[in-house]
Amino acid sequence: MVDVFRQLLEGQRVMTLATCSAAGPWAAPVLYAVCPGPELVFMSRVSTRHVQDLLACPRVAAAIHPEKTRPLRGVQLEGQARPLQGREAVRALRAYLLRFPSARGRFPVWETVRGAGEVRLFALRPERAYVLSEEDFGWGVRREVPREALAGFP
């Protein structure tokens, strides 16, 4: 099951990030890269609703799944999201640009790393993760990723 989890995280590029505020729940697609921890790092503008939500309430959920709907496969996560700056932001930015080289030149790098610009780096650290895979577990069955496996990823 941990192998399926790893394949799904590494094989996809978009996660749907779910946040909540007094205005209600919200979901937004974000591009992500995987860093040790594990942490899923993403970039977004501070002015977006999902960033405003996670700054006020860092508890978030996320879903990651292939475009192909059969057999149904995916990852469901819950955890804490936080802004990154300094060395953490540099590490995250390296992973992000390695995965998305076309992002180079689209934002001011040093402002982003310092956490001073409109575009910022964020990390989602999963506290719980579930894998759904019809081909591996059967229809409608999801399995929780053991915490020790989660802590040792990637």
Side-chain angles (χ1 to χ4, degrees), residues 68-90:
K68 186 176 156 189
T69 60
R70 286 290 180 245
L72 186 59
R73 302 178 80 205
V75 171
Q76 298 165 318
L77 306 164
E78 61 181 82
Q80 302 279 331
R82 63 190 176 85
L84 300 175
Q85 61 185 54
R87 288 184 178 167
E88 284 187 311
V90 170

Side-chain angles (χ1 to χ4, degrees), residues 9 12 14-18 27-30 32 40 60-66 73-78 124 130:
L9 284 187
Q12 309 315 306
V14 178
M15 76 173 161
T16 302
L17 180 69
V30 295
Y32 72 92
L40 304 179
V60 299
I64 298 168
H65 53 85
R73 302 178 80 205
V75 171
Q76 298 165 318
L77 306 164
E78 61 181 82
L124 164 56
Y130 300 88

Side-chain angles (χ1 to χ4, degrees), residues 50 53 64 72 79 85 94-97 117 132 145:
H50 60 280
D53 285 356
I64 298 168
L72 186 59
Q85 61 185 54
R94 282 187 187 130
Y96 191 88
L97 291 176
L132 174 71
V145 177

